[in-house]
Amino acid sequence: MNRALALLIGLALAGPAVAQERPYRPLPSPVSATCPGGICQPEGLTAFFAAFGQGRPVSIVQFGDSHTAGGDITRSLLWRLQGRFEGGPIHLHAHGLVGATLNAMAQREPLLDDGEAGPDLVILAYGTNEGFDELLDPRAYEALLRAQIERVREASPGTAILILGAPEAMRGDGGGRCAGDADHRWKAPDTLSVVRDVQHRIAASMGVAFWDWRGRMGGDCSAHALTLGEAPLMRGDHVHFTGPGGDWIGALLAADLIAAYDQRGR
């Protein structure tokens, strides 16, 4: 038996070749140190949770910036809520504008479009662009946020409100101290933490639910860490999410909402 024939026999006995698969790596799910379960004041969602199981459509309206405009996060949230709550249909109306701040919502007239009357939940998803504004007046921003919460309540009494705290984001003009950033380039703007603090405080004082987006991302330097690896969850600008990243964030938000629903009355 020559070597070629022996090789062929050996391959036949070994069976068909099996393609090597990439090992499964679970997506990160950091724990929020600010809000248990990711959501502060979950009682502010009571009206939203009560809408499920009534055999009628459930309506969500979200106002926000490019994170909302991109659609990946809202699609992920909606898909997972629909999978958990199989009663009536769930509708999510998203109003997102690239580069928008809370002023964009303040300028909407009327606040709710035709067909959006009496939503069960209004989500406010602003804060990133305010956080990059070094001239932001925290007192003026606080007054504006209070006014928009009151405006929602006037337009739709009984509607639950959820503020998505501003996520971690970074600019690349130096001064960074993140692991994996050899050039010390990336750093979160100082104003971003101010915006987040105002959102957190106002939500608590007005009985509004607050989701700790930054904490669920991983906190400090997460906007850089999520750009690394073979399948990054954030784009190189350290502000916007990739498609998979948007799906991941939407999944975390949905999971926290579902967990808060399941914990009612316990």
Side-chain angles (χ1 to χ4, degrees):
M1 184 185 300
N2 59 37
R3 292 184 180 181
L5 181 58
L7 178 60
L8 289 173
I9 294 174
L11 290 174
L13 292 175
V18 178
Q20 185 175 4
E21 295 183 0
R22 181 179 298 176
Y24 169 73
R25 295 177 182 175
L27 291 174
S29 182
V31 176
S32 168
T34 301
C35 301
I39 298 178
C40 290
Q41 296 85 238
E43 62 275 9
L45 298 170
T46 299
F48 174 52
F49 292 154
F52 294 107
Q54 295 186 10
R56 64 169 180 81
V58 174
S59 176
I60 303 170
V61 176
Q62 178 166 320
F63 300 102
D65 51 31
S66 56
H67 293 305
T68 298
D72 293 320
I73 297 173
T74 52
R75 280 190 294 269
S76 176
L77 170 63
L78 179 61
W79 180 75
R80 286 169 171 82
L81 290 179
Q82 289 173 333
R84 171 62 174 80
F85 301 102
E86 298 179 350
I90 304 173
H91 302 292
L92 197 161
H93 307 270
H95 302 286
L97 294 172
V98 176
T101 66
L102 189 59
N103 284 308
M105 180 178 173
Q107 294 167 5
R108 282 184 60 88
E109 193 62 50
L111 179 62
L112 300 172
D113 290 344
D114 292 342
E116 295 178 355
D120 299 293
L121 176 66
V122 167
I123 301 175
L124 307 185
Y126 296 100
T128 299
N129 294 306
E130 288 94 333
F132 280 76
D133 181 3
E134 296 178 352
L135 301 179
L136 183 77
D137 181 343
R139 292 185 179 181
Y141 178 67
E142 179 174 335
L144 180 63
L145 182 55
R146 285 184 179 275
Q148 294 316 298
I149 292 172
E150 292 293 353
R151 192 167 174 230
V152 171
R153 288 173 169 170
E154 291 173 4
S156 184
T159 291
I161 301 173
L162 171 63
I163 295 175
L164 305 189
E168 179 78 337
M170 310 181 100
R171 56 165 42 115
D173 49 10
R177 297 182 178 180
C178 296
D181 179 14
D183 296 327
H184 304 289
R185 177 183 174 189
W186 296 99
K187 180 181 178 183
D190 293 336
T191 308
L192 192 56
S193 63
V194 174
V195 168
R196 201 176 292 117
D197 179 66
V198 170
Q199 293 173 326
H200 188 202
R201 288 189 296 100
I202 296 305
S205 68
M206 300 186 72
V208 169
F210 174 88
W211 188 58
D212 182 19
W213 188 339
R214 175 181 179 272
R216 292 293 268 136
M217 285 176 61
D220 288 344
C221 289
S222 57
H224 179 66
L226 294 172
T227 66
L228 306 177
E230 296 181 0
L233 299 178
M234 292 198 77
R235 302 180 194 172
D237 63 4
H238 290 58
V239 175
H240 299 97
F241 292 85
T242 62
D247 182 72
W248 167 67
I249 282 294
L252 290 180
L253 175 56
D256 291 346
L257 287 170
I258 291 169
Y261 176 87
D262 291 338
Q263 289 293 323
R264 292 172 306 152
R266 294 185 182 180

